[in-house]
Amino acid sequence: MALEGAEARQVESLLDAPNSENSAHYHGLRRQLLEKGFLIPAEVNERDYLQNWHGQAQQPNRHLSLTIIPTLACNFRCRYCYQEHQPETMGPEVEEAVLNLAATRLGEDGTLSVTWFGGEPLLQIGRIERLTARFRRLCDQRKARYSSQIITNGYLLDRAMAERLRGCRINHAQVTLDGPQPVHDRRRPLADGSGTFDTILANIEAAAALVPIHLRINVDQTNRKGIPAILQQVADMELTNKVHPYLGRTYPYTGVCLEVAGDCLADADFALLELETTMELIEQGFLAYRAPRAISTYCMAEKANACVVTPHGSLLKCWNEASDPKAAVGHLLQPADDRMRRNAACWARRDIFQLECADCRLLPICMGGCPYLYYKTGRLHCHAWKSHLDESLAVYYYIKRLEQERDITKNFGELVEDVKAAVALS
């Protein structure tokens, strides 16, 4: 809803006193506010609703989410990478076990969501294609919906590779550029130290016509000033409708990358940078905006029917632990041992409704934040909007108005063309 003037004042009045005598005069607006969720019936307890929804997501169901790591090998040596570089690659036995896992856990009329991760997953494109073909056959048999995405450094994502990914029904590919060429190449070189920027940028241009690209920019104190330049470069390539940039945040997730800790942004600082970057995106013509939505859990780590599968068959709850052999909560080829059971119990011990989250108005879009960081640091990592809520809402409103204006312009253009066609025929 976008309201101005008298209507906006009426809405404010309704929100302040939804059951007053005056509310009867605004019956239509009141109904809209109820339908959109701005007003809640008095008998509905929102916290109970969220708690039930959250609890259901933590129980086994017919929906299955898998993050599959076909290899831990990587052709990059990023300065902030939290993984140990291992040449380990998935073999036929684990590949078959993954398929058996899917067949066991995917229900009729359910959904199978697969994220391909690494290492660098495109080093094992053949395995991705084989598993995808069998996953899709399984979904056809179960009348289930299949979706997938891939997280890749983009170095191998040329047009031919993009064609193969489109054949795998990849919904989108996440690729990272950390700034202009000198900045990016210092942060994300090949294993031999050579640069990667030029190849990745050319690949993005070639692949974007076939596979939507989510462009991640990992930021910290050392590269934050380069964000406008890389956005300008992508916009100049006329990719604003095919490439969707967003910010990621470097963090010392494991002992492998502790040296980057001093460069990481504080929560409020990152939240403000996100706002600034959103305005920069608008300036450059990137109008697509991913507004927060209500979620049942923060991520797959808190869902019963979701896991990460490593090349050797370990099952994890978080990909941050991909190269840690002691973090498994299960195994595809071995029975669970005491350590795996303790790990699994650890992931189940956080109750966000017993924490300060329960009284936070951003709970529906945050659900407690990253559970991995909570377990590692003992503190909550809140949604970025919490630091700058009013400003974030203002930016969101501004973007929605721009989208409306764009739609009006498009519709008017189509109307003019229809009139021209009708005149030509008369």
Side-chain angles (χ1 to χ4, degrees):
M1 299 174 68
L3 304 171
E4 293 180 344
E7 264 195 333
R9 289 191 291 273
Q10 290 169 6
V11 167
E12 288 179 356
S13 175
L14 278 169
L15 293 176
D16 288 338
N19 297 313
S20 69
E21 292 181 5
N22 290 334
S23 68
H25 299 299
Y26 312 132
H27 178 72
L29 273 178
R30 192 174 190 275
R31 186 181 67 252
Q32 288 186 65
L33 292 173
L34 280 166
E35 290 173 352
K36 300 291 186 181
F38 293 104
L39 288 179
I40 304 295
E43 65 273 12
V44 174
N45 186 312
E46 289 181 274
R47 187 187 299 178
D48 286 349
Y49 175 84
L50 281 175
Q51 193 164 3
N52 289 335
W53 190 27
H54 183 67
Q56 289 171 10
Q58 294 178 305
Q59 300 301 315
N61 55 56
R62 68 181 187 275
H63 307 293
L64 176 61
S65 296
L66 296 176
T67 294
I68 301 176
I69 303 175
T71 181
L72 282 169
C74 187
N75 48 348
F76 277 31
R77 291 297 181 268
C78 304
R79 66 179 295 269
Y80 50 77
C81 182
Y82 53 82
Q83 292 184 2
E84 295 180 5
H85 299 295
Q86 302 172 5
E88 195 170 357
T89 295
M90 185 176 289
E93 189 178 15
V94 173
E95 187 175 326
E96 196 64 32
V98 173
L99 292 163
N100 291 337
L101 174 71
T104 301
R105 294 198 184 182
L106 178 63
E108 293 286 336
D109 298 314
T111 57
L112 174 56
S113 173
V114 175
T115 299
W116 302 102
F117 191 60
E120 172 47 49
L122 290 182
L123 293 171
Q124 288 292 310
I125 182 61
R127 182 158 279 108
I128 291 173
E129 289 173 323
R130 287 195 302 275
L131 282 168
T132 296
R134 295 184 66 179
F135 284 148
R136 290 174 60 190
R137 284 200 295 272
L138 174 64
C139 287
D140 288 343
Q141 295 165 4
R142 302 282 172 87
K143 296 182 173 58
R145 183 169 61 87
Y146 179 75
S147 64
S148 65
Q149 60 179 327
I150 190 166
I151 298 174
T152 169
N153 58 41
Y155 195 79
L156 301 176
L157 187 57
D158 57 16
R159 185 176 180 87
M161 185 67 77
E163 291 277 9
R164 296 177 75 172
L165 292 184
R166 187 166 70 166
C168 290
R169 301 287 180 91
I170 296 291
N171 298 93
H172 71 263
Q174 176 189 295
V175 178
T176 299
L177 283 176
D178 276 359
Q181 181 263 324
V183 176
H184 172 91
D185 283 347
R186 284 196 302 270
R187 295 164 62 87
R188 298 179 64 84
L190 285 172
D192 64 6
S194 55
T196 60
F197 179 88
D198 290 338
T199 297
I200 296 172
L201 192 62
N203 285 348
I204 288 174
E205 185 174 26
L210 301 170
V211 178
I213 303 294
H214 290 189
L215 180 61
R216 182 181 174 100
I217 307 170
N218 289 321
V219 294
D220 54 36
Q221 298 288 4
T222 68
N223 73 323
R224 60 184 301 169
K225 293 181 179 179
I227 295 172
I230 186 58
L231 294 180
Q232 179 70 62
Q233 193 163 358
V234 174
D236 289 345
M237 297 167 68
E238 300 183 353
L239 294 175
T240 54
N241 292 326
K242 298 175 183 176
V243 174
H244 310 287
Y246 73 100
L247 298 187
R249 187 176 173 188
T250 62
Y251 196 88
Y253 290 106
T254 69
V256 178
C257 56
L258 285 178
E259 64 182 34
V260 305
D263 296 328
C264 297
L265 298 173
D267 294 350
D269 198 13
F270 178 75
L272 183 58
L273 183 60
E274 276 197 313
L275 273 178
E276 294 170 352
T277 301
T278 299
M279 298 307 297
E280 184 68 33
L281 287 168
I282 294 170
E283 290 293 323
Q284 300 292 356
F286 297 93
L287 275 179
Y289 181 69
R290 301 192 305 176
R293 296 182 179 275
I295 52 178
S296 60
T297 63
Y298 178 81
C299 67
M300 65 182 293
E302 295 183 309
K303 294 183 178 181
N305 219 20
C307 61
V308 179
V309 182
T310 71
H312 54 75
S314 288
L315 302 179
L316 309 170
K317 296 305 293 182
C318 179
W319 61 32
N320 289 339
E321 299 178 321
S323 56
D324 183 359
K326 298 180 180 179
V329 298
H331 202 284
L332 292 176
L333 305 176
Q334 303 168 12
D337 57 27
D338 288 341
R339 183 167 61 192
M340 293 175 186
R341 285 187 282 270
R342 286 194 300 271
N343 289 342
C346 174
W347 285 102
R349 74 170 186 256
R350 184 177 78 155
D351 183 355
I352 59 175
F353 295 93
Q354 297 299 318
L355 302 173
E356 62 188 78
C357 306
D359 297 318
C360 179
R361 55 184 171 173
L362 292 181
L363 177 61
I365 64 173
C366 178
M367 296 308 281
C370 176
Y372 173 83
L373 290 178
Y374 178 77
Y375 295 138
K376 294 296 182 181
T377 68
R379 69 181 184 90
L380 294 166
H381 290 253
C382 302
H383 196 283
W385 275 33
K386 188 172 184 178
S387 300
H388 306 285
L389 181 57
D390 290 345
E391 295 86 348
S392 299
L393 289 172
V395 169
Y396 176 65
Y397 173 78
Y398 177 57
I399 290 172
K400 298 308 289 185
R401 289 301 301 266
L402 288 177
E403 289 176 350
Q404 288 179 346
E405 292 172 7
R406 182 179 60 182
D407 290 342
I408 290 171
T409 302
K410 178 184 176 183
N411 292 337
F412 181 74
E414 292 173 351
L415 178 62
V416 170
E417 292 302 317
D418 289 343
V419 171
K420 287 180 179 178
V423 170
L425 290 173
S426 61

